[in-house]
Amino acid sequence: MSSGTDSVTSYGLTAVLASASALLSTNHPSSPPPFIPVAETPIPSTALCQHINTYARSHLPEQTYNHSLRVYHYGLAIKRYRFPSWTFTDETYFLSCLLHDIGTTDENLKRTRLSFEFYGGLLALDVLQKPDAGAGLSPEAVAPREQAESVAEAIIRHQDLCEVGKITALGQLLQLATIFDNTGSYGDLVHPSTIEDVSKQFPRKQWSHCFAATIRRENGLKPWAHTTALGEEAFPSKVLGNKLMLPY
């Protein structure tokens, strides 16, 4: 386990501006984003990532699983282009991506009164630290506490789009990549060929309609849900109006 300052940087706990627009305005690259194919941002081969990949594949619908992997590859492309000084591990980011929508499954939406991001963060905290004893998992497939907490924090706040305060670097990247795939915002952060390659490897399969329906389903079950802070009609409409991803 990393400790002290090392755990802050390696697990993405460095505090950065919560406002994506303000953060991006402090860093102006002299060149457009490079083409970064999926092959250059592979899934980490650690036992922990393999365990969580298997868990996510077995619990998430195909459309949500594909979205999670697109968020992973887009996020690493954004990080390489705009935030090369962020040194948190690909493993930590992968865990966040694969589990960030675990609370949106039909089973989990009905299981709790919590908003899906909050329940998803709590569930991720548990899954990352308490593997199924019957699965024969190695100790390496269990996340250190600080890593699991960083992932949970990022998941809980991945739709907390605000203009004041701070957020972890991990949480900010998860927000940027998620909103990029869901609404097409910040389209200048990723090369068009990267979008094409990622979409080919992990097809959208009408993701915009799927996610908009999930938003409305949760808001119907839980009128207090945190997603309503993004606009009960405005947010699903923005998802459905994602012009950047329309070709895919």
Side-chain angles (χ1 to χ4, degrees):
M1 177 191 297
S2 298
S3 61
T5 303
D6 289 341
S7 66
V8 169
T9 55
S10 62
Y11 297 149
L13 288 162
T14 303
V16 301
L17 292 174
S19 169
S21 58
L23 183 65
L24 291 167
S25 71
T26 65
N27 174 17
H28 297 282
S30 58
S31 59
F35 169 42
I36 302 177
V38 169
E40 289 188 17
T41 52
I43 293 173
S45 59
T46 65
L48 178 56
C49 283
Q50 291 175 9
H51 165 51
I52 295 304
N53 191 31
T54 299
Y55 175 87
R57 189 187 291 273
S58 64
H59 286 79
L60 295 174
E62 182 182 10
Q63 289 162 302
T64 310
Y65 177 75
N66 283 0
H67 162 67
S68 300
L69 286 172
R70 290 195 303 273
V71 169
Y72 173 71
H73 292 287
Y74 289 145
L76 290 188
I78 292 169
K79 179 170 173 272
R80 185 181 300 186
Y81 175 51
R82 296 300 299 266
F83 308 108
S85 65
W86 291 0
T87 57
F88 55 82
T89 63
D90 291 354
E91 177 187 73
T92 303
Y93 184 58
F94 179 78
L95 302 175
S96 303
C97 294
L98 267 285
L99 296 174
H100 84 281
D101 273 349
I102 194 66
T104 65
T105 66
D106 285 339
E107 179 183 10
N108 287 335
L109 281 178
K110 296 173 183 176
R111 177 176 286 172
T112 177
R113 298 292 189 180
L114 290 168
S115 297
F116 88 85
E117 311 100 300
F118 303 153
Y119 183 68
L122 296 176
L123 184 58
L125 193 64
D126 186 62
V127 169
L128 288 167
Q129 295 182 100
K130 298 178 181 177
D132 182 356
L137 296 172
S138 67
E140 289 76 21
V142 180
R145 177 183 59 81
E146 289 179 308
Q147 184 182 39
E149 289 176 349
S150 180
V151 169
E153 171 96 3
I155 292 172
I156 289 168
R157 293 192 63 186
H158 83 268
Q159 291 200 128
D160 184 23
L161 310 180
C162 55
E163 291 299 314
V164 297
K166 300 289 183 65
I167 192 172
T168 66
L170 180 69
Q172 180 62 265
L173 189 65
L174 185 62
Q175 279 192 8
L176 283 169
T178 300
I179 206 72
F180 175 82
D181 192 56
N182 283 339
T183 71
S185 299
Y186 308 107
D188 60 340
L189 295 181
V190 179
H191 193 284
S193 294
T194 302
I195 299 174
E196 182 177 1
D197 189 44
V198 170
S199 298
K200 181 179 179 181
Q201 297 291 330
F202 308 103
R204 295 184 66 83
K205 296 182 179 290
Q206 299 296 310
W207 169 248
S208 294
H209 288 83
C210 173
F211 185 52
T214 297
I215 295 168
R216 290 184 169 127
R217 188 180 311 122
E218 183 185 38
N219 290 348
L221 290 169
K222 308 166 192 176
W224 57 84
H226 179 259
T227 303
T228 60
L230 300 177
E232 292 184 55
E233 289 302 324
F235 187 48
S237 295
K238 194 170 184 179
V239 169
L240 291 171
N242 186 348
K243 294 181 180 179
L244 183 66
M245 300 301 175
L246 188 60
Y248 309 104

